[in-house]
Amino acid sequence: MFIRPMLALAAALSASLPVHAAEVPYPAGYRAWTHVKSMAILPGHALYEGFGGLHHIYANAKALAGYQSGRFKDGSVIVFDLLEADTSGNALSEGKRKIVGVMHRDAKRYAATGGWGFEGFAAGDPKVRAVGNQAKTACFDCHAPQAARGYVFSSWRE
Ligand code: HEC
């Protein structure tokens, strides 16, 4: 029977191929979703280098249900909208968009990164993928300690 050798060959081949993260869709229309929270990361903060600026977090309807129940179903999408923080005139205002970070829930498709697909669209351009196959090291490894909360840091408040 050659089923067994064929399976062994397939396994050997897939083990030797580079891992390609499944593509994460651009979150069209997210500005009209539910606003979860905002935060400003200013100079001096440990994450200023990568995440400095003013960010807003948005959830689609499924993700909002996930924030409320603690279980995020497939199709949940959360957006981390990072803008420059303009501190002129003793005010903190939104500046240019730096990146649109996305977490897209699909337990099977993104099994390698906790069931979430991670991507960042540079300057909010749907065509410019800043993360691609680096999702595990660039994003997931830092979210991993939040496993008990579905890998999500932020929480919903009434
Ligand atoms: C150094 C740790 C770290 C890294 C790396 C990181 N994140 Fe996060 N992420 C956070 C923290 C902390 C929050 C919560 C921010 C808040 O409460 O305003 C967050 C929030 C988010 C959210 C909103 C949902 C949530 O978990 O609260 C999304 C979406 C997100 N990150 C996407 C990404 C993407 C995409 C990448 C990779 C480009 C990434 N993150 C890399 C720490 C990280």
Side-chain angles (χ1 to χ4, degrees):
M1 301 300 280
F2 45 0
I3 293 273
R4 213 184 279 260
M6 286 295 281
L7 286 177
L9 178 65
L13 275 175
S14 64
S16 65
L17 290 171
V19 179
H20 283 293
E23 236 179 41
V24 177
Y26 176 81
Y30 74 89
R31 286 271 296 125
W33 296 355
T34 299
H35 172 243
V36 177
K37 64 164 294 198
S38 298
M39 178 182 182
I41 293 184
L42 303 174
H45 189 284
L47 299 181
Y48 183 75
E49 181 77 9
F51 300 100
L54 182 57
H55 67 250
H56 307 295
I57 295 178
Y58 298 92
N60 70 358
K62 281 190 179 170
L64 176 59
Y67 271 106
Q68 292 166 334
S69 70
R71 278 175 299 106
F72 291 88
K73 293 195 174 144
D74 281 1
S76 297
V77 182
I78 313 177
V79 170
F80 182 101
D81 194 9
L82 178 60
L83 311 165
E84 282 174 8
D86 174 356
T87 53
S88 57
N90 294 327
L92 182 64
S93 318
E94 296 182 344
K96 275 191 277 183
R97 180 164 279 122
K98 294 176 79 178
I99 195 158
V100 170
V102 181
M103 286 171 68
H104 189 120
R105 184 82 200 166
D106 186 326
K108 269 197 201 133
R109 192 169 155 87
Y110 307 116
T113 44
W116 287 101
F118 289 84
E119 186 55 277
F121 295 91
D125 185 335
K127 294 181 296 296
V128 187
R129 294 173 177 275
V131 174
N133 288 331
Q134 306 304 309
K136 189 181 176 298
T137 47
C139 312
F140 178 66
D141 286 351
C142 189
H143 277 251
Q146 293 297 105
R149 301 193 58 244
Y151 302 104
V152 171
F153 279 99
S154 50
S155 49
W156 175 252
R157 68 162 166 190
E158 293 303 327

